[in-house]
Amino acid sequence: MKIKVISVLMAVLVITNAFAGGGSDNSSASYTIEVGGSTSVSPLMELFAESYQKAKPNIKVNINGTGSGDGINNAGVLYQVGMSSRELTPAEQGKGLRETIVAIDGIAVIVNSSNPVSNLTVDQIRNIYTGAITDWSQVGGRAGRIAVVSREEGSGTRGAFEEIVRFQGRLLAGANESTSTGAIKAGIAQNPNAIGYISLGSVDDTIKAISVDGVTPATANVVSGAYKIARPFIVLTGNNLHAESAAFVQWMLGSEGQAIVSRSWIRVR
């Protein structure tokens, strides 16, 4: 009788563990990877997440487009993986974050599709963004006051753009500061006199990307170095990174991840 009772108890335990997902194999355990930061990196990250979740249905990737500054400040805190579209400052490097470049991206200067201007020099772009040039007629376009659109303070795209075009801290007073790539595109699509800048990978037929110094903003030209306005896409991780998040970052650098990068950006491997 004692043996029979023990056998019944063992059977109950096996059934209970089966329903509870027990056992030592956690390969099918669900896990959510929180990702946050640059809205310029977000479209690439969404493609990464879509493909990765198909391969690993037990993994969910939440993406929060909150700006590079937030991605840097909260990597390892709110986010397992932070996103930045600019290099870290010396102070930010002191946070002890691990930086992994997953792609290189060009920054496209964009105007309304109806704008006849198709090329600007770097000097002209700088003068527009600092207020020295205020009308499209000054750069070969139709008469009309230029509506200058920029990203908000702390944006990785803004930081990189201002540094490369060389007007840090001198943005025209009263410029429209938008908080996302989508907002810039929508605003410029509606305003024939507007000018802005976005990730090359986010360019579509709702706006027009213009040449800079006679060079078309195209992936091949960024790769060759002919198109100068480019920056890295960086993912940031802190200490005690969960194994699933670490695997996701490594996947971005692998053949599948880099094949996704090559669709609209420049691969690093």
Side-chain angles (χ1 to χ4, degrees), residues 67-75 83-99 153-156 159-160 163 234 236-238:
S68 291
D70 182 62
I72 295 166
N73 291 330
N74 285 304
M83 301 180 290
S84 177
S85 55
R86 64 169 173 81
E87 300 283 0
L88 275 63
T89 66
E92 291 167 340
Q93 290 171 349
K95 295 177 179 290
L97 298 172
R98 178 172 181 174
E99 303 174 47
E153 189 70 42
S155 159
E163 180 179 352
I234 304 171
L236 305 155
T237 52

Side-chain angles (χ1 to χ4, degrees), residues 37-53:
S38 170
T39 61
S40 294
V41 181
S42 292
L44 173 58
M45 190 61 65
E46 287 167 2
L47 293 175
F48 281 156
E50 180 183 6
S51 182
Y52 195 72
Q53 289 169 151

Side-chain angles (χ1 to χ4, degrees), residues 169-192:
R170 295 189 289 136
L171 178 64
L172 171 70
N176 183 348
E177 299 183 46
S178 295
T179 58
S180 72
T181 298
I184 288 183
K185 288 169 62 177
I188 289 178
Q190 296 169 9
N191 187 342

Side-chain angles (χ1 to χ4, degrees), residues 11-23:
V12 170
L13 181 61
V14 169
I15 293 171
T16 301
N17 282 340
F19 278 101

